[in-house]
Amino acid sequence: MLRPGEGVRGLERAPGHWLRAGVIAWPGWDLPAGVDPAGLDWRLHWSADDSIDPEASDPLPWDNVLLRFDPAGLPAAIAAAYPHLRGRLCLRVPAAAIAQVPQAVRCEVAVSVHLPSGRLVDAGSLQLGGVIDDLLAAPDAELGPSWQLGTPTLRLWAPTARSVALLLWPEGADLHETPQRRRMLPAVDGTWAITGEPGWQGARYRFEVTVYTPHHRRVVTNAVTDPYSTSLTVNSTHSVLVDLDDPRWAPQQWRQAASPALEDPVDQVIYELHLRDFSVSDASVPAGLRGSFLAPTVDSVGMAHLSRLAEAGLTTVQLLPLFDNASVEEHPERQLRPVWDLLRGLPPDSPEQQRHVTRAGGRSAFNWGYDPWHYFAPEGSFSSTLASAEGGGRVSECRAMVGAFHAAGLRVVLDQVFNHTASAGQDTKSVLDRIVPGYYHRRDADGAVEQSTCCPNVATEHVMAQKLMVDACVHWARGYRVDGFRFDLMGHHSRANMLAVRAALDALTLEADGVDGRGITMHGEGWDFGEVAGNAQFVQATQGQLGGTGIATFSDRLRDAVRGGGVWDGDPRGQGLGTGLFTADNGWGVNGDHATQGERLAWCTDLVQLGLAGTLRGYRFGSNSRHAILRGDELEFGGGPAGYADEPGEVISYVDAHDNETLFDAITLKVHPATPMEARVRLNTVCLAFATLGQSPVMWHAGADILRSKSLDRNSYNSGDWFNHLDFTMTDNGFGAGLPPEPDNAHTWHVLAPLLADPRLKPHPEDIRRAHEQALDLLRLRASTRLFRLARADLVSTMVRFPVADSWHQLPGVVVMAIDDPSAAVEERWSSVLAVFNTTPWLVRQTLPLDGRGYRLHPVQEAGADPEVRSCEIGADWLTVPGRTVAVFVRPR
């Protein structure tokens, strides 16, 4: 029934779904109890001009047809495609009306339900995504600007628009002047097109789209940028016509530097980096290039740092979003930045620093960039000059950055954010929704836009939203020669979405596209939450549901077990295997009593062992918590199976990322405050080792190797350069920069303030350098042998074991991993590797149920940066390892 306060005639709600030309789904639970839907009159209305009044009597001044109630319900194929709509009533559209659907979807569209007496029972608007996909999708259309012999053609998909015109400002024209207006021609697939002239290169443009918007229940005319813009003006006010094949935008190094190849995806060691962080504080970079695309193109402290990591075994730089975002002020003169000299003079636990940083608001020069505005254009704030932010300059500079990383031996992975846009509706930073209102965003049962991702969720289950994903990835691969993609909140996409991207990339060839798409990697966040959780609307791209695709997901199993606690904990001081749980209680009481800690440590140890073995669902190992031989999918984590991968390459192992506290900050929060800095440095290395010496691809957050701190900030997305400070001179790790911003941290300021004020917790430069050198040794260890990178589940299952697990040999806080290759299946130098992780504060003598004769300390560690590890010893059935140390022993053939 109609509900009070729902707006005119209830049509502001959109509870119905027009799924196919002939099928509408309607919620039957709104009908009065006892009413037979077969005895009601169902009507479909659409109105081009007048607002529909479902209570109006015939003759009606708008189009309407009678619908037929189908007692059989939704057809099986449709119910399978829309599982969240199972149980809805099925209404059939008469065949004679189907031809009018393309016209109807341009109008206000509603369903009304009446008793035979004519009394209104229910009414509401319709969500049209399904029927638009059925009749008007254009999956093969070449959208955006395309070029032929210097002449552009512009094509926009706008199937519900009444009219579309091109607004054009020739290059050099004042944007405040009246533009040239060119009518665009419609096609039957819902696209509108216009072919221009050779002189349009560099012209600025918008589309003028006249369209009905259901949210406002009226027809509007929007001047909007091209969602397929390849470049833009400053602050994205206008699209710019740029021919990406023009030699002016192809820097020499980008053309010549080859993309570094991977023998196998498990070889990846990724450094997750925000481009601005990389150089904005680097005095060795010319002032005009700091924070820009061009910073990696010059010799600098930062590039020297990355080169050292690459020489040791780092393979990849993963960059936080580089596409145009809606949050950063691109004009340098309009940006607000705090005065650093003022901030440096404030106490380390002061709230004043964060007040100065947050005062910039929407005029900040910094944001992580997870606020998509234009998916195909580089972000203008990374341009080196105001002039280069206009048009082809930002394209050229972004390509130069990719070329510089390739020349340094590093692959480039881009962070993609297709799960949401920065805004929707008629907001000025809404593009998609002002062109095809109501189509691109996922909507709830009443038609409101879902926002479980924090912003308007994109309905990538719709054909053209998936096409945007696919086209954007192909664009960045072909047009910029990037080597991989990381997908934000990938679980909000379907497995089918990801397979479509994978297929499109695989089709790219060196001969035709300048890139071998089969070598492009894909991974993402496979979290399961929100309105799509549990495959509610489609089979999701979540952990455990991507087997055989070659698409990896981040594993929170090893992360949480090593760090301790979880990312949503109210108290961040919960300990894990790598931060002293049970073996070095931090004294805060958050971890429970001794027995509770012991039980949790056993479970954390199981999770870490499984993580070292690739988080494989079928891997069998001795469980310290269950005292039995378990398969990976028999160990519990978060209410589900801990093991979820079919192959080791389907998981990304990590212990810190841009989200949540950095590794150093997590250690600061979780270990006992009296723990000396030397011990904290060693724990940093041990925690990184758990991720680095496992069988899956690895990711380090930028600065993890140099004790990077964000002053305990758990969400630094908008915390400015001050709290995101990254110092490759290894002088200042960023700790003690003040209390982190209030919105995400105030509830723990009482915990953070005493730590920030403690001068013992601020590392000295020698501590930072020591951490870096030990981290380099971890990379060298991984790179030295394929035994840490077996690449196949069957090899992991037969070669990797944990010989002391679930036995009297097991010491709390110690993990022993043996990797045996007696037949030289993958490794010619060594027949076996024995890795021992001692997270306890003391030297351990670990009994071994295997023959330790013939093992020696790995040559990397014999000549490495840590003198402590060189004191390790190994005998026939025992070994010793110092406290907070990872030691790797090898047995030569």
Side-chain angles (χ1 to χ4, degrees):
M1 297 292 288
L2 293 178
R3 301 168 189 166
E6 289 182 321
V8 179
R9 308 302 183 192
L11 298 190
E12 291 183 357
R13 293 172 55 234
H17 295 256
W18 199 344
L19 300 177
R20 298 291 185 269
V23 177
I24 292 172
W26 191 264
W29 48 83
D30 275 353
L31 299 178
V35 172
D36 182 0
L40 299 174
D41 291 333
W42 299 87
R43 299 178 187 176
L44 173 65
H45 310 262
W46 64 95
S47 173
D49 302 307
D50 301 313
S51 293
I52 294 170
D53 179 356
E55 289 187 311
S57 301
D58 291 332
L60 300 176
W62 53 78
D63 292 292
N64 72 102
V65 297
L66 290 176
L67 302 172
R68 179 175 62 85
F69 169 73
D70 187 345
L74 294 174
I78 294 179
Y82 299 92
H84 61 299
L85 299 181
R86 283 195 178 101
R88 301 287 180 106
L89 303 180
C90 178
L91 307 176
R92 297 285 184 169
V93 180
I98 289 177
Q100 300 179 66
V101 172
Q103 179 61 36
V105 297
R106 297 178 178 178
C107 304
E108 180 176 30
V109 185
V111 164
S112 65
V113 190
H114 303 259
L115 294 171
S117 65
R119 178 173 171 264
L120 181 67
V121 173
D122 198 6
S125 299
L126 293 179
Q127 300 183 37
L128 303 177
V131 71
I132 290 174
D133 280 347
D134 187 29
L135 296 182
L136 296 168
D140 299 323
E142 185 174 7
L143 301 180
S146 60
W147 295 81
Q148 185 69 32
L149 300 176
T151 299
T153 294
L154 286 161
R155 185 169 284 106
L156 176 73
W157 184 70
T160 63
R162 311 284 182 89
S163 65
V164 177
L166 176 70
L167 306 179
L168 189 76
W169 290 261
E171 186 174 19
D174 187 338
L175 292 177
H176 295 97
E177 294 178 357
T178 302
Q180 300 176 18
R181 189 177 185 279
R182 307 287 183 98
R183 181 168 156 271
M184 297 180 69
L185 298 178
V188 294
D189 61 359
T191 62
W192 302 70
I194 185 171
T195 296
E197 302 165 4
W200 283 15
Q201 173 78 260
R204 284 73 57 83
Y205 69 100
R206 288 173 170 171
F207 296 120
E208 183 183 77
V209 182
T210 300
V211 65
Y212 174 81
T213 172
H215 180 72
H216 295 279
R217 297 191 68 211
R218 61 185 174 88
V219 176
V220 297
T221 298
N222 291 319
V224 63
T225 47
D226 186 349
Y228 276 63
S229 300
T230 55
S231 193
L232 298 151
T233 58
V234 171
N235 282 328
S236 311
T237 61
H238 297 70
S239 303
V240 180
L241 280 167
V242 173
D243 183 355
L244 298 187
D245 292 331
D246 189 323
R248 289 182 295 166
W249 317 127
Q252 181 178 1
Q253 191 174 58
W254 175 74
R255 295 195 313 270
Q256 295 178 347
S259 171
L262 291 173
E263 185 175 339
D264 190 274
V266 297
D267 295 339
Q268 280 200 105
V269 182
I270 300 164
Y271 207 58
E272 185 197 36
L273 180 67
H274 187 281
L275 183 63
R276 183 175 174 87
D277 291 350
F278 170 69
S279 64
V280 74
S281 302
D282 189 344
S284 68
V285 175
L289 303 186
R290 293 174 198 165
S292 80
F293 288 124
L294 294 185
T297 67
V298 299
D299 292 334
S300 66
V301 171
M303 284 306 290
H305 190 94
L306 291 183
S307 294
R308 284 195 302 276
L309 293 171
E311 289 167 5
L314 187 76
T315 67
T316 304
V317 170
Q318 178 176 296
L319 299 170
L320 269 65
L322 292 181
F323 54 76
D324 180 58
N325 72 70
S327 299
V328 178
E329 169 57 58
E330 293 184 356
H331 198 299
E333 295 178 5
R334 298 173 189 161
Q335 293 171 349
L336 295 179
R337 307 180 194 183
V339 179
W340 279 40
D341 287 343
L342 172 64
L343 301 185
R344 289 190 185 100
L346 295 170
D349 59 342
S350 169
E352 287 303 310
Q353 293 95 327
Q354 59 93 27
R355 289 178 186 148
H356 284 277
V357 168
T358 57
R359 195 171 293 153
R363 293 176 63 183
S364 171
F366 180 94
N367 195 281
W368 279 347
Y370 291 92
D371 303 298
W373 196 354
H374 297 90
Y375 287 102
F376 294 74
E379 163 60 24
S381 66
F382 294 130
S383 299
S384 63
T385 66
L386 194 61
S388 64
E390 296 274 346
R394 64 172 77 182
V395 173
S396 175
E397 292 191 353
C398 185
R399 285 172 163 176
M401 173 205 69
V402 174
F405 284 133
H406 283 171
L410 292 166
R411 295 166 62 86
V412 177
V413 167
L414 298 188
D415 203 331
Q416 298 284 51
V417 187
F418 298 113
N419 62 84
H420 66 257
T421 55
S423 57
Q426 286 293 106
D427 186 89
T428 56
K429 294 185 178 180
S430 169
V431 177
L432 299 171
D433 211 21
R434 289 199 292 153
I435 295 172
V436 193
Y439 175 81
Y440 279 101
H441 291 98
R442 189 175 299 127
R443 300 158 74 187
D444 67 14
D446 280 341
V449 175
E450 296 277 11
Q451 299 203 40
S452 58
T453 63
C454 81
C455 301
N457 294 359
V458 177
T460 49
E461 60 271 25
H462 291 166
V463 171
M464 298 303 285
Q466 174 179 284
K467 175 179 171 59
L468 183 140
M469 284 183 69
V470 172
D471 289 350
C473 290
V474 168
H475 168 78
W476 286 100
R478 180 192 285 149
Y480 292 85
R481 300 180 187 171
V482 301
D483 309 289
F485 299 101
R486 179 260 192 201
F487 295 88
D488 183 65
L489 299 184
M490 188 170 65
H492 269 58
H493 302 308
S494 68
R495 176 184 164 104
N497 289 154
M498 306 314 298
L499 290 176
V501 174
R502 181 72 270 170
L505 293 176
D506 288 346
L508 301 178
T509 65
L510 280 170
E511 296 75 18
D513 307 288
V515 60
D516 180 0
R518 294 168 300 176
I520 294 174
T521 58
M522 293 172 57
H523 59 268
E525 295 181 301
W527 318 134
D528 183 19
F529 70 97
E531 73 282 356
V532 298
N535 300 320
Q537 301 198 23
F538 42 72
V539 177
Q540 298 163 263
T542 48
Q543 294 171 331
Q545 299 197 152
L546 291 167
T549 66
I551 302 167
T553 57
F554 291 100
S555 173
D556 45 354
R557 279 74 166 154
L558 182 134
R559 179 200 70 192
D560 287 359
V562 171
R563 289 166 63 108
V567 298
W568 303 113
D569 288 353
D571 190 325
R573 293 173 292 189
Q575 292 177 279
L577 174 62
T579 54
L581 181 65
F582 185 76
T583 62
D585 187 3
N586 61 24
W588 294 114
V590 67
N591 298 294
D593 60 22
H594 199 62
T596 300
Q597 291 192 43
E599 292 172 1
R600 187 168 183 83
L601 178 63
W603 177 67
C604 288
T605 303
D606 287 349
L607 289 173
V608 166
Q609 290 179 163
L610 182 60
L612 288 167
T615 319
L616 299 171
R617 67 173 96 237
Y619 181 75
R620 300 182 66 83
F621 66 103
S623 166
N624 298 279
S625 63
R626 296 272 296 275
H627 305 297
I629 300 298
L630 293 183
R631 280 173 47 107
D633 55 8
E634 294 173 334
L635 183 66
E636 185 274 339
F637 178 87
Y644 67 82
D646 293 336
E647 295 291 341
E650 295 170 4
V651 166
I652 304 291
S653 292
Y654 73 114
V655 289
D656 76 338
H658 68 274
D659 283 318
N660 310 116
E661 297 88 355
T662 67
L663 178 58
F664 177 84
D665 284 347
I667 292 170
T668 300
L669 286 162
K670 295 171 185 297
V671 303
H672 195 283
T675 306
M677 185 55 64
E678 189 272 340
R680 294 166 187 263
V681 171
R682 302 190 69 80
L683 282 178
N684 194 82
T685 302
V686 173
C687 289
L688 282 178
F690 281 123
T692 308
L693 301 182
Q695 293 296 326
S696 296
V698 183
M699 188 189 78
W700 291 3
H701 178 42
D705 56 307
I706 52 176
L707 308 182
R708 183 184 188 179
S709 171
K710 296 181 182 179
S711 205
L712 306 180
D713 191 349
R714 70 176 311 274
N715 189 13
S716 68
Y717 79 99
N718 199 26
S719 300
D721 300 324
W722 179 254
F723 287 101
N724 287 282
H725 182 62
L726 182 57
D727 178 12
F728 288 121
T729 69
M730 293 183 267
T731 303
D732 182 356
N733 80 326
F735 186 80
L739 284 169
E742 183 175 9
D744 289 295
N745 300 280
H747 66 290
T748 55
W749 273 359
H750 66 288
V751 173
L752 311 185
L755 298 173
L756 293 170
D758 189 341
R760 298 172 300 171
L761 306 187
K762 175 82 171 178
H764 296 292
E766 56 267 28
D767 300 315
I768 301 171
R769 286 192 291 271
R770 186 165 61 250
H772 177 59
E773 293 298 331
Q774 292 179 11
L776 290 174
D777 283 347
L778 294 179
L779 295 177
R780 295 179 183 119
L781 287 168
R782 180 177 178 84
S784 71
T785 171
R786 289 221 66 85
L787 293 179
F788 287 126
R789 298 168 284 121
L790 294 173
R792 285 172 25 204
D794 61 325
L795 294 178
V796 174
S797 292
T798 57
M799 293 186 185
V800 179
R801 59 195 177 100
F802 299 91
V804 305
D806 187 33
S807 71
W808 65 270
H809 303 283
Q810 178 73 60
L811 297 176
V814 177
V815 174
V816 178
M817 176 177 64
I819 311 173
D820 298 310
D821 183 22
S823 62
V826 298
E827 174 61 63
E828 307 227 350
R829 287 166 293 176
W830 298 306
S831 63
S832 182
V833 167
L834 192 65
V836 185
F837 305 81
N838 177 14
T839 68
T840 74
W842 49 78
L843 180 145
V844 297
R845 181 182 174 92
Q846 173 68 63
T847 305
L848 295 175
L850 53 81
D851 187 355
R853 290 174 295 185
Y855 281 98
R856 52 174 279 200
L857 191 65
H858 195 293
V860 165
Q861 292 190 306
E862 285 181 341
D866 181 15
E868 290 289 317
V869 75
R870 292 197 285 272
S871 68
C872 291
E873 296 180 301
I874 187 167
D877 60 356
W878 58 272
L879 56 79
T880 62
V881 175
R884 295 165 173 146
T885 298
V886 56
V888 176
F889 301 91
V890 291
R891 174 182 281 163
R893 291 199 181 279

